[in-house]
Amino acid sequence: MTTVLLALPRGGVSIASSIAKVLNIDFNIYISKKIPHPDNEEFAIGAMGEFGEMVIDPFFSNLITSKTIKETKNKIESYIKQYRKKPIENLDSKTVILVDDGIATGLSMEAAIKDIQKLHPKKIIVATPVIAEDTFEKLNKTVPVIALIVSSDPFFSVGRYYEDFHQLSDQEVEEIISDEQ
């Protein structure tokens, strides 16, 4: 297989499942986790990829501690154990499509791109239904980004662009993954 589809859970799993059906390929899980602000779990000040690459907002770098890094690594390991049913295949000289359900700041996707680049793919493509315009421009300088909506509006949340944006439960993610394996 020359194309490898990798979903960032949770939301990227349902999108990757749809793409996989259209392309008639399997998908796997890739974990990139945000590093949250100490006072607001929803606000990302950085992100870490499963192979260790980190992207940190320079404005908040002083808030990143060894404890925060360890907690993020533990979350990544927990997600891998929970969701990955098979190892990520060798990505050397392959086209990798990284999929998420939406990209706001882009920190998690940027960490994923840097992480995956270490595995020497031929090409990395980012696919997402919605992305903030400034994030699109930033990521698109590094890799091609395919998006249905590139929002120039003030980007408050990915969920604003969905009719139903409930967070997929662990059970829903596992069911989608099981259907694909």
Side-chain angles (χ1 to χ4, degrees), residues 15 19 23 95-103 109 123-131 136 139-140 143-150:
I15 306 297
I19 293 171
L23 296 179
T95 297
V96 176
I97 303 173
L98 288 170
V99 182
D100 205 353
D101 61 350
I103 305 173
M109 187 59 76
K123 183 179 202 174
I124 298 172
I125 299 169
V126 170
T128 185
V130 62
I131 187 170
F136 174 83
L139 293 178
N140 211 30
V143 299
V145 178
I146 300 169
L148 298 176
I149 298 171
V150 178

Side-chain angles (χ1 to χ4, degrees), residues 12-123:
V13 173
S14 62
I15 306 297
S17 176
S18 297
I19 293 171
K21 288 175 183 150
V22 170
L23 296 179
N24 196 29
I25 60 175
D26 293 333
F27 76 89
N28 205 340
I29 302 300
Y30 168 83
I31 310 298
S32 179
K33 295 299 292 174
K34 73 178 171 190
I35 300 171
H37 188 284
D39 297 329
N40 182 351
E41 280 288 314
E42 294 304 310
F43 182 68
I45 60 172
M48 178 185 293
E50 70 177 68
F51 305 123
E53 281 295 321
M54 288 196 328
V55 175
I56 297 169
D57 182 325
F59 187 73
F60 297 103
S61 61
N62 62 320
L63 297 177
I64 305 288
T65 65
S66 57
K67 180 182 177 214
T68 309
I69 293 169
K70 185 173 182 182
E71 287 171 354
T72 304
K73 283 181 183 178
N74 289 341
K75 285 180 190 174
I76 289 170
E77 289 171 14
S78 172
Y79 266 61
I80 291 170
K81 287 177 188 165
Q82 183 171 8
Y83 294 137
R84 183 155 310 130
K85 306 301 178 203
K86 61 184 178 184
I88 292 178
E89 62 185 272
N90 181 347
L91 302 180
D92 192 31
S93 301
K94 295 185 180 172
T95 297
V96 176
I97 303 173
L98 288 170
V99 182
D100 205 353
D101 61 350
I103 305 173
T105 66
L107 293 171
S108 291
M109 187 59 76
E110 195 176 347
I113 292 165
K114 288 182 175 192
D115 231 16
I116 296 297
Q117 284 173 331
K118 294 192 307 191
L119 302 176
H120 311 290
K122 177 179 162 187
K123 183 179 202 174

